[in-house]
Amino acid sequence: MKKITQSILEKVIRKRPANSYKGTYGKIALIGGSQNFGGAIIMASLAAVYSGAGLVTTMTDPTNQTSLHDWLPEAMFVDYHDSQAASPIISAADVVVIGPGLGTDNQALTILTKTFELAHKNQTLVIDGSALTLVAQNHLTLPQDSLNVLTPHQMEWQRVSGIKIADQTPEANQAAANKLNALVVVKSHRTQVYYQDSVYENTGGTPAQATGGMGDTLAGMVGGFTAQFADQPKAVLAAVFAHSAIADKLAHKQYVVLPHQISEALPKFMKKNQSV
Amino acid sequence: MKKITQSILEKVIRKRPANSYKGTYGKIALIGGSQNFGGAIIMASLAAVYSGAGLVTTMTDPTNQTSLHDWLPEAMFVDYHDSQAASPIISAADVVVIGPGLGTDNQALTILTKTFELAHKNQTLVIDGSALTLVAQNHLTLPQDSLNVLTPHQMEWQRVSGIKIADQTPEANQAAANKLNALVVVKSHRTQVYYQDSVYENTGGTPAQATGGMGDTLAGMVGGFTAQFADQPKAVLAAVFAHSAIADKLAHKQYVVLPHQISEALPKFMKKNQSV
Amino acid sequence: MKKITQSILEKVIRKRPANSYKGTYGKIALIGGSQNFGGAIIMASLAAVYSGAGLVTTMTDPTNQTSLHDWLPEAMFVDYHDSQAASPIISAADVVVIGPGLGTDNQALTILTKTFELAHKNQTLVIDGSALTLVAQNHLTLPQDSLNVLTPHQMEWQRVSGIKIADQTPEANQAAANKLNALVVVKSHRTQVYYQDSVYENTGGTPAQATGGMGDTLAGMVGGFTAQFADQPKAVLAAVFAHSAIADKLAHKQYVVLPHQISEALPKFMKKNQSV
Amino acid sequence: MKKITQSILEKVIRKRPANSYKGTYGKIALIGGSQNFGGAIIMASLAAVYSGAGLVTTMTDPTNQTSLHDWLPEAMFVDYHDSQAASPIISAADVVVIGPGLGTDNQALTILTKTFELAHKNQTLVIDGSALTLVAQNHLTLPQDSLNVLTPHQMEWQRVSGIKIADQTPEANQAAANKLNALVVVKSHRTQVYYQDSVYENTGGTPAQATGGMGDTLAGMVGGFTAQFADQPKAVLAAVFAHSAIADKLAHKQYVVLPHQISEALPKFMKKNQSV
């Protein structure tokens, strides 16, 4: 098992070329946030924008429109019930993050299956939170052509993979990830990443992160990093490391680290850790 | 009468174990915030999240949904009229904080009595603000099995206990607290705490705290501390002390201390005062 | 003409007595903020809370409820169309600030005349912005028993007093103020205050303040100061001076001073300048 | 081709005269922000207010009212469907900024053509974003008498001028700008400004700016600068330079610069760079 360490950052976070524009840094669509769980998609969107994604559209329940813009005037809003508006944006996105606060009702299932239908070869699909539960409950097959990134915590991974937490060995997880056709980030005290024939373990992380919304922030960062950086599996590793490294730093002075604080720390953290 | 001092903090605020997750730090449901008093439940929720509670759900009037998420994307939202959605969350909560900005109309009474019905042995119930007035007005009996924490100011305590402010001696208060089956925090210039055969008096606090919302913040902190820390009566004492100690510190430089500033100071304050 | 200087601050801003509670620092009702001018009443309310008022209720259009709580969870909200809810709160208030963003339609006039009817001996009425225009347009007589504080800029003063800007001499202004039964704050480059047989001129102020919302903030501060401090005409002078002194300080480093920045600076400014 | 450098700032940013008031610094109306793109007009409005404009009214979809006031209590709100309310304010404005997040539906076209009808000799019209697309799609003629400032990126400029990006030489651009009767700001890695017989090239700018909303912020700054400063073409140059200079400074420490951060930095930046 390989360790994910500081060195992944400068391998991934490139210095931006002088002559570039917002299109250079990718289009992301984030889908989630029911009326009950609106904060989740806002935190994921915050992470995507603050990690430097070029153009961010958030598809969510209309009751979350104002909060989204209060946190992020930089993000565009689409009512996720409006599939006519949503579909072309999902198709055009380089990265789709689906699941934070999506919920598991029929409406959520409809959006998820539609997103799977629209997925294509040049797209990264980050599947998180409720979307993972929906995949498990409905035995959905992941899209064939997109790069599928799953970000379950251990219980969600049990649901998706059928492997009980106690039995989640590296070998079992790797086999399941490959069978699912996915890169899998199993979140825990020491997060592990499974991709093809490699297994990685994160070396950072703090119990100060044990609070609601931490995973939504990671999902948004995975979106932001894969949208910008060429080697996408490495971009996922860098997002995982950066998320815990920022938390570790904040935890020197804080008993609990709020998820939105990690996003707000991203621009300076990424600058310090970019390649020269 | 025992003094509540700095030493309570490190007795209560434990260093978080490395291998823990958000479930380790408790589930809190906060109930309150009518259309007129939405800020109260937002301030209580802010205190709960910033003190480190694992999972926070705020049940309030739907007109407060956006403000809740503007302050706290980390909190989940439930319309408090929707008892079908609210009941299972209340039942599953380790701690329920009810009252900040709840109001005293029939709707509020219905929610309060429902919450009392759902209360159970492994639950802490923090009863604050309007909920105390409702208890007094309607002669409600507190639940049998939960740990009931009341957080009245002196006039509210008069209503609940029947003891006039001038007659609120330690002996009378203690007898009333025991009769009510409650741990009682009587808020004043020097807040007192009554629990079983013990009486405690806080040693901190400043007139810079004399502003609306200060009590809502304390209620949320009591929720956050009892959700995380094993010895719950001591957790209440630590919340009471921390609330005034942060205010005392801010008051060195401020004529008035805003309640939300206390919550925002919690992560650093708790880190400094945790046990090693 | 007397000068308003630094020395007014410590004459007015008393050190808070240890044994006090939020009721000690007054109840304020602020009325204003149509759908088009909601920011005005929010800025006034911000000034009232941050200057240390004990209990603040903001009566405004319901479309402003969320923004109010986003800035100020500490304030209570009342829909200003709901006169049944508003009237008892207006009656119970120590200070009523009416006018910021109120507009001049019939609805606004109805609220203003109702407020004048409810005014009583122990009340300070701060009449600002659109409320001044309504007074002029409708030839309203100010209430007999309350302390009436008008805060017009020069054009509004022309409307209310009938004195053209060019003719607004101290003598003419003083006569008009006395005839109106009001303490009048005529805002300009060097704001003047007229009360009974005294005329005062402010010595602070900067062109960096020349931006929309500055007057709303002053109205809120006048409310906050008169609610807390015993000598109310002096409290008005202190509010006028503090408003410009904070702006002067910020303007050392800023080309323009935003009104909400003045409010946010109040707690530290007042602490530094309180009497010992 | 002349270079736009630091020296433009003190030529334009005058020290404010002591005896001035908010009317001295201009009235701006900003028009844009559909339900999907509300953040764009909020960011433009933020830039207008923080650059020191005297009075700012934002005309947008009503679903953006709350977010507008959460960012800017200083701005007034008008529902852009309400042409009866909007028209007199547009007519009275010194500067109208139209386009950020406006969208391209019929409603948007109606507002744009109405604004063109109302334009007059003493007015600056800043035409940005969707408004440029509407001009191109509908072959609209710019108003005769106003100073028309277009702020396209290269693709928008292709649409408006008919010149393909590869063919956008200084000569071709200049000819097209003159034919259109406009001052044109062509945004790119090194932004160029075309006005009558002069061509200017900006010397600042960073790839950290390559993120959604950067152009909306520039449009608002152009509005804020032309509203305040007498020589309007020079004011445009100063806005262009200031926008990139602030970004350059922030980019020393940040991987990505958020548009709203530029606005928030304006008051201090302008103070440092004002003429004495």
Side-chain angles (χ1 to χ4, degrees):
Chain A
M1 196 180 306
K2 299 167 198 166
K3 298 289 181 188
I4 311 173
T5 65
Q6 177 80 19
S7 67
I8 189 68
L9 296 175
E10 69 175 37
K11 277 181 204 147
V12 167
I13 305 174
R14 60 174 170 160
K15 190 176 172 186
R16 290 187 161 197
N19 193 349
S20 58
Y21 68 110
K22 61 190 172 189
T24 313
Y25 303 109
K27 287 183 195 147
I28 307 190
L30 297 108
I31 307 169
S34 66
Q35 191 174 5
N36 294 123
F37 307 123
I41 200 67
I42 290 169
M43 288 186 283
S45 302
L46 199 69
V49 169
Y50 278 72
S51 62
L55 277 167
V56 173
T57 302
T58 301
M59 302 179 171
T60 184
D61 191 87
T63 60
N64 299 317
Q65 181 190 341
T66 294
S67 268
L68 174 69
H69 284 146
D70 285 347
W71 282 96
L72 275 182
E74 291 84 3
M76 291 164 285
F77 162 79
V78 169
D79 178 350
Y80 67 10
H81 301 91
D82 179 356
S83 71
Q84 214 179 340
S87 290
I89 296 173
I90 294 172
S91 292
D94 300 301
V95 177
V96 178
V97 177
I98 187 161
L102 182 63
T104 53
D105 63 10
N106 280 336
Q107 161 69 13
L109 180 59
T110 302
I111 298 170
L112 181 62
T113 50
K114 183 75 193 171
T115 301
F116 280 9
E117 277 170 44
L118 294 170
H120 55 76
K121 199 163 84 91
N122 299 311
Q123 210 170 45
T124 299
L125 215 59
V126 183
I127 303 167
D128 181 64
S130 337
L132 292 164
T133 304
L134 284 169
V135 165
Q137 283 175 347
N138 300 280
H139 308 287
L140 302 183
T141 304
L142 302 185
Q144 199 80 38
D145 297 329
S146 50
L147 172 63
N148 303 312
V149 179
L150 311 189
T151 52
H153 53 59
Q154 291 169 301
M155 178 52 72
E156 286 166 341
W157 180 231
Q158 175 178 315
R159 282 183 208 133
V160 171
S161 69
I163 310 170
K164 289 192 176 151
I165 294 180
D167 301 333
Q168 293 176 1
T169 61
E171 294 71 27
N173 289 346
Q174 187 167 19
N178 288 338
K179 193 171 155 201
L180 283 162
N181 180 31
L183 187 161
V184 180
V185 178
V186 183
K187 297 180 288 193
S188 75
H189 163 226
R190 284 291 173 254
T191 291
Q192 297 183 341
V193 179
Y194 296 88
Y195 182 60
Q196 294 178 350
D197 55 354
S198 295
V199 185
Y200 304 87
E201 190 175 67
N202 193 25
T203 55
T206 158
Q209 283 175 281
T211 192
M214 211 33 93
D216 307 311
T217 295
L218 178 60
M221 284 178 63
V222 169
F225 277 56
T226 53
Q228 288 177 78
F229 304 125
D231 183 332
Q232 305 203 316
K234 277 199 183 128
V236 174
L237 300 178
V240 165
F241 185 80
H243 181 260
S244 64
I246 293 172
D248 282 335
K249 203 186 156 192
L250 292 172
H252 283 139
K253 297 200 172 168
Q254 296 185 199
Y255 188 73
V256 65
V257 172
L258 281 306
H260 74 262
Q261 296 176 319
I262 293 184
S263 294
E264 289 172 351
L266 274 164
K268 291 191 181 170
F269 179 86
M270 291 175 74
K271 179 75 183 184
K272 270 191 199 147
N273 290 287
Q274 75 175 15
S275 58
V276 198
Chain B
M1 198 179 306
K2 299 167 198 167
K3 297 289 180 186
I4 312 173
T5 64
Q6 177 80 18
S7 67
I8 189 68
L9 296 176
E10 68 175 39
K11 277 182 203 146
V12 168
I13 306 174
R14 59 174 170 161
K15 190 175 172 188
R16 290 185 161 197
N19 194 348
S20 58
Y21 67 110
K22 61 190 172 190
T24 313
Y25 302 108
K27 287 184 194 146
I28 306 189
L30 297 110
I31 308 169
S34 67
Q35 191 174 6
N36 293 122
F37 307 122
I41 200 67
I42 290 170
M43 288 185 283
S45 302
L46 200 69
V49 169
Y50 278 71
S51 61
L55 277 168
V56 174
T57 302
T58 302
M59 303 179 172
T60 183
D61 190 87
T63 60
N64 299 317
Q65 182 190 343
T66 294
S67 268
L68 174 70
H69 284 145
D70 285 347
W71 282 96
L72 274 182
E74 291 84 4
M76 290 165 284
F77 161 78
V78 168
D79 178 350
Y80 68 9
H81 301 90
D82 179 357
S83 71
Q84 214 180 340
S87 290
I89 297 173
I90 294 173
S91 292
D94 300 301
V95 178
V96 178
V97 177
I98 187 161
L102 182 64
T104 54
D105 64 9
N106 279 336
Q107 161 70 13
L109 181 58
T110 302
I111 299 171
L112 181 62
T113 51
K114 184 75 193 171
T115 301
F116 280 8
E117 277 170 45
L118 294 170
H120 54 74
K121 200 165 82 95
N122 298 311
Q123 211 171 44
T124 300
L125 214 59
V126 183
I127 303 167
D128 181 63
S130 337
L132 292 165
T133 304
L134 284 169
V135 165
Q137 282 176 347
N138 300 279
H139 309 286
L140 302 183
T141 304
L142 302 185
Q144 199 80 37
D145 297 329
S146 50
L147 171 63
N148 304 311
V149 179
L150 311 190
T151 52
H153 53 59
Q154 291 169 300
M155 177 52 72
E156 286 165 341
W157 180 231
Q158 175 177 317
R159 283 182 209 133
V160 172
S161 69
I163 310 169
K164 290 193 176 151
I165 294 181
D167 301 332
Q168 293 176 0
T169 61
E171 294 69 27
N173 289 345
Q174 187 167 18
N178 287 337
K179 192 171 155 202
L180 282 162
N181 180 31
L183 187 161
V184 180
V185 179
V186 183
K187 298 179 288 192
S188 75
H189 163 227
R190 285 291 174 253
T191 291
Q192 296 183 342
V193 179
Y194 296 89
Y195 182 59
Q196 295 178 353
D197 54 355
S198 295
V199 184
Y200 304 88
E201 189 175 67
N202 193 24
T203 55
T206 158
Q209 284 176 282
T211 193
M214 209 34 92
D216 307 311
T217 295
L218 178 60
M221 285 177 63
V222 169
F225 278 54
T226 52
Q228 288 177 79
F229 305 126
D231 183 331
Q232 305 204 315
K234 278 200 181 127
V236 175
L237 299 179
V240 165
F241 185 80
H243 181 260
S244 64
I246 293 173
D248 282 336
K249 203 185 156 193
L250 292 173
H252 283 140
K253 297 200 172 168
Q254 296 184 199
Y255 189 73
V256 65
V257 171
L258 280 307
H260 74 262
Q261 297 176 319
I262 293 184
S263 294
E264 290 172 350
L266 274 165
K268 291 190 181 171
F269 179 86
M270 291 175 74
K271 179 74 182 186
K272 270 190 199 149
N273 291 287
Q274 75 175 12
S275 57
V276 198
Chain C
M1 197 180 305
K2 299 167 198 166
K3 298 289 181 187
I4 312 172
T5 64
Q6 178 80 18
S7 66
I8 189 69
L9 296 175
E10 69 175 39
K11 277 182 204 145
V12 168
I13 306 174
R14 60 171 169 161
K15 189 174 171 189
R16 289 185 161 198
N19 194 350
S20 58
Y21 68 110
K22 61 191 173 190
T24 313
Y25 303 108
K27 287 186 196 145
I28 306 190
L30 296 109
I31 308 168
S34 67
Q35 191 174 6
N36 293 124
F37 307 122
I41 199 67
I42 290 169
M43 288 185 284
S45 302
L46 199 68
V49 169
Y50 278 72
S51 60
L55 277 168
V56 174
T57 302
T58 301
M59 303 180 171
T60 184
D61 191 86
T63 60
N64 299 316
Q65 181 191 343
T66 295
S67 267
L68 174 69
H69 283 147
D70 285 348
W71 282 96
L72 274 182
E74 290 85 2
M76 290 165 284
F77 161 79
V78 169
D79 178 350
Y80 67 10
H81 301 90
D82 180 357
S83 71
Q84 215 181 338
S87 290
I89 296 173
I90 294 173
S91 291
D94 300 301
V95 178
V96 178
V97 178
I98 186 162
L102 182 64
T104 55
D105 63 10
N106 280 335
Q107 161 70 14
L109 181 57
T110 302
I111 299 171
L112 181 61
T113 50
K114 184 75 193 169
T115 301
F116 280 9
E117 276 170 45
L118 295 170
H120 55 75
K121 199 165 81 95
N122 298 311
Q123 210 171 43
T124 300
L125 214 58
V126 183
I127 303 167
D128 181 64
S130 336
L132 292 164
T133 304
L134 284 169
V135 165
Q137 281 175 348
N138 300 280
H139 308 287
L140 303 182
T141 304
L142 301 185
Q144 199 78 38
D145 297 328
S146 50
L147 170 64
N148 304 311
V149 179
L150 312 190
T151 52
H153 53 59
Q154 291 169 301
M155 177 53 70
E156 286 165 343
W157 181 232
Q158 174 177 316
R159 284 183 209 133
V160 172
S161 68
I163 310 170
K164 290 192 175 155
I165 294 180
D167 301 333
Q168 292 176 3
T169 60
E171 294 70 27
N173 289 346
Q174 188 168 19
N178 287 338
K179 192 170 155 204
L180 282 162
N181 179 32
L183 186 162
V184 180
V185 178
V186 183
K187 298 179 288 191
S188 76
H189 163 225
R190 284 292 173 253
T191 291
Q192 298 182 342
V193 179
Y194 296 89
Y195 182 59
Q196 294 177 353
D197 55 354
S198 295
V199 185
Y200 305 88
E201 188 175 67
N202 193 24
T203 55
T206 158
Q209 284 176 282
T211 192
M214 209 36 92
D216 306 312
T217 295
L218 178 59
M221 284 177 64
V222 169
F225 278 56
T226 53
Q228 287 177 78
F229 303 126
D231 183 332
Q232 306 205 313
K234 277 199 182 127
V236 175
L237 300 178
V240 165
F241 184 80
H243 182 260
S244 64
I246 293 173
D248 282 335
K249 202 185 157 194
L250 292 173
H252 283 140
K253 296 199 172 170
Q254 297 183 199
Y255 188 73
V256 65
V257 172
L258 281 306
H260 74 262
Q261 297 177 319
I262 293 183
S263 295
E264 290 173 349
L266 274 164
K268 291 191 181 171
F269 179 86
M270 291 174 74
K271 179 74 183 184
K272 269 190 200 149
N273 290 288
Q274 76 175 11
S275 57
V276 197
Chain D
M1 196 179 306
K2 298 168 198 165
K3 297 290 181 187
I4 311 173
T5 64
Q6 177 80 19
S7 67
I8 188 69
L9 297 175
E10 69 175 38
K11 277 182 204 146
V12 168
I13 305 174
R14 59 172 170 161
K15 190 176 171 187
R16 289 187 161 196
N19 194 350
S20 58
Y21 68 110
K22 61 191 171 188
T24 313
Y25 303 108
K27 286 184 196 147
I28 307 190
L30 297 109
I31 307 169
S34 66
Q35 192 175 6
N36 294 123
F37 307 123
I41 200 67
I42 290 169
M43 288 185 283
S45 302
L46 199 69
V49 169
Y50 278 71
S51 61
L55 278 168
V56 173
T57 302
T58 301
M59 303 179 172
T60 184
D61 191 87
T63 59
N64 299 316
Q65 181 191 342
T66 295
S67 268
L68 174 69
H69 283 147
D70 286 348
W71 282 96
L72 275 182
E74 290 84 3
M76 290 165 284
F77 162 78
V78 169
D79 177 350
Y80 68 9
H81 301 91
D82 179 357
S83 71
Q84 215 180 339
S87 290
I89 296 173
I90 294 173
S91 291
D94 300 301
V95 177
V96 178
V97 177
I98 186 163
L102 182 63
T104 54
D105 63 10
N106 280 336
Q107 162 69 12
L109 180 58
T110 302
I111 298 170
L112 181 61
T113 51
K114 184 74 193 171
T115 301
F116 280 9
E117 277 170 43
L118 294 170
H120 55 75
K121 199 165 82 93
N122 297 313
Q123 209 171 46
T124 300
L125 214 60
V126 183
I127 303 166
D128 181 64
S130 336
L132 292 165
T133 304
L134 284 170
V135 165
Q137 282 175 348
N138 300 281
H139 309 286
L140 303 183
T141 304
L142 302 184
Q144 200 79 40
D145 297 328
S146 50
L147 171 64
N148 303 311
V149 179
L150 311 189
T151 51
H153 53 58
Q154 292 170 299
M155 177 53 71
E156 286 166 341
W157 181 230
Q158 175 177 315
R159 284 182 208 133
V160 171
S161 68
I163 310 170
K164 289 193 176 151
I165 294 180
D167 301 333
Q168 292 176 3
T169 61
E171 295 72 26
N173 288 347
Q174 189 168 18
N178 287 337
K179 192 170 154 201
L180 283 162
N181 179 32
L183 187 161
V184 179
V185 178
V186 183
K187 298 179 287 191
S188 75
H189 162 227
R190 284 290 174 255
T191 292
Q192 297 183 341
V193 179
Y194 296 89
Y195 183 59
Q196 294 177 353
D197 55 354
S198 294
V199 184
Y200 304 87
E201 189 174 67
N202 193 23
T203 55
T206 157
Q209 284 176 282
T211 193
M214 211 32 95
D216 306 311
T217 295
L218 178 59
M221 285 177 63
V222 169
F225 277 55
T226 53
Q228 287 177 80
F229 304 125
D231 183 331
Q232 305 204 315
K234 277 199 182 129
V236 174
L237 299 179
V240 165
F241 184 81
H243 182 260
S244 64
I246 293 172
D248 282 335
K249 203 186 155 194
L250 292 173
H252 283 140
K253 296 201 172 167
Q254 297 184 199
Y255 189 73
V256 65
V257 173
L258 280 306
H260 74 262
Q261 297 176 319
I262 293 184
S263 294
E264 289 172 349
L266 274 163
K268 291 190 181 170
F269 179 86
M270 291 175 74
K271 179 74 182 185
K272 270 190 200 149
N273 290 287
Q274 76 174 15
S275 56
V276 198

